[in-house]
Amino acid sequence: AQKITQTQPGMFVQEKEAVTLDCTYDTSDPSYGLFWYKQPSSGEMIFLIYQGSYDQQNATEGRYSLNFQKARKSANLVISASQLGDSAMYFCAMRGHGGATNKLIFGTGTLLAVQP
Amino acid sequence: EAQVTQNPRYLITVTGKKLTVTCSQNMNHEYMSWYRQDPGLGLRQIYYSMNVEVTDKGDVPEGYKVSRKEKRNFPLILESPSPNQTSLYFCASSAGLAQETQYFGPGTRLLVL
């Protein structure tokens, strides 16, 4: 069965510092996709970054980068130069290749608080 | 602007009173899905649709119905809501079944008394 594990319920980071949010996954699919979403207090789910299992390079999107270690089955999100607006809940998610549901499997999330 | 919209954003209702949450996307996406988010359980898929007139159950379909008569719309219907359906609901869409990103609507907070 596919599973996403986020072991950090909450984290603090100082403004302008970098922070890493951990995510490990479990799947037997040879092809899969990994996603990170941000959920601010207003509730919407905002797509941040995507990593395909066959991608050779780690994904980057502005201040977001994904540290993908396939052998360790980890897909950590790195936010550089944290800003107050980064305070939110962050979810790691995975989509397997098999099946027609296109279902995303979500972790339980990490609540990030950026301190001035 | 490319987006997924949901209405209403907030809804308070009573047990047994039928309701519909609408979802619409303007990106010509084939795939649409409904999730519910509950504390400690994360997001779970309720129903999904691969294209017009093609829908199927997700992980937690009990108590819900959906329809896909048009490509852009995917309403979620609660025929007889119960308090355990109090939740935050998200509609999502993507271009296809592969690794395309799913884009989420703003969410609908439902309280069933």
Side-chain angles (χ1 to χ4, degrees), chain A residues 1-65:
Chain A
Q2 296 176 325
K3 186 179 180 181
I4 292 283
T5 302
Q6 293 180 255
T7 58
Q8 304 155 312
M11 291 188 70
F12 288 100
V13 65
Q14 289 295 124
E15 195 177 6
K16 300 181 184 177
E17 292 186 349
V19 63
T20 298
L21 307 183
D22 295 341
C23 172
T24 58
Y25 61 91
D26 189 18
T27 182
S28 56
D29 288 337
S31 175
Y32 49 90
L34 296 157
F35 304 82
W36 278 92
Y37 286 86
K38 172 184 178 182
Q39 186 176 40
S41 58
S42 51
E44 68 267 34
M45 294 289 284
I46 303 167
F47 166 72
L48 295 178
I49 196 166
Y50 162 77
Q51 179 83 42
S53 58
Y54 290 119
D55 292 344
Q56 295 296 314
Q57 292 187 325
N58 287 343
T60 60
E61 289 285 349
R63 294 186 299 109
Y64 305 106
S65 60

Side-chain angles (χ1 to χ4, degrees), chain B residues 36-87:
Chain B
R36 62 178 287 175
Q37 184 180 17
D38 302 289
L41 297 177
L43 281 84
R44 295 175 292 167
Q45 190 185 56
I46 303 170
Y47 266 95
Y48 65 95
S49 169
M50 294 166 58
N51 213 323
V52 175
E53 303 292 2
V54 181
T55 65
D56 208 344
K57 297 176 181 179
D59 291 329
V60 288
E62 295 76 21
Y64 304 95
K65 287 175 57 178
V66 293
S67 68
R68 188 90 181 272
K69 294 185 172 61
E70 304 167 285
K71 197 171 187 179
R72 63 182 292 127
N73 296 324
F74 189 45
L76 179 69
I77 303 157
L78 284 72
E79 294 272 1
S80 182
S82 63
N84 65 12
Q85 292 179 298
T86 292
S87 188

Side-chain angles (χ1 to χ4, degrees), chain B residues 3-7 20-34 47-55 65-77 91-93:
Chain B
Q3 60 182 350
V4 180
T5 57
Q6 293 178 229
N7 283 291
T20 299
V21 183
T22 64
C23 172
S24 182
Q25 50 91 8
N26 62 2
M27 296 170 278
N28 201 36
H29 283 171
E30 290 188 350
Y31 179 88
M32 298 185 75
S33 181
W34 277 101
Y47 266 95
Y48 65 95
S49 169
M50 294 166 58
N51 213 323
V52 175
E53 303 292 2
V54 181
T55 65
K65 287 175 57 178
V66 293
S67 68
R68 188 90 181 272
K69 294 185 172 61
E70 304 167 285
K71 197 171 187 179
R72 63 182 292 127
N73 296 324
F74 189 45
L76 179 69
I77 303 157
C91 180
S93 75

Side-chain angles (χ1 to χ4, degrees), chain B residues 89-103:
Chain B
Y89 291 87
F90 288 101
C91 180
S93 75
S94 66
L97 276 181
Q99 310 307 330
E100 284 88 355
T101 299
Q102 289 192 35
Y103 294 94

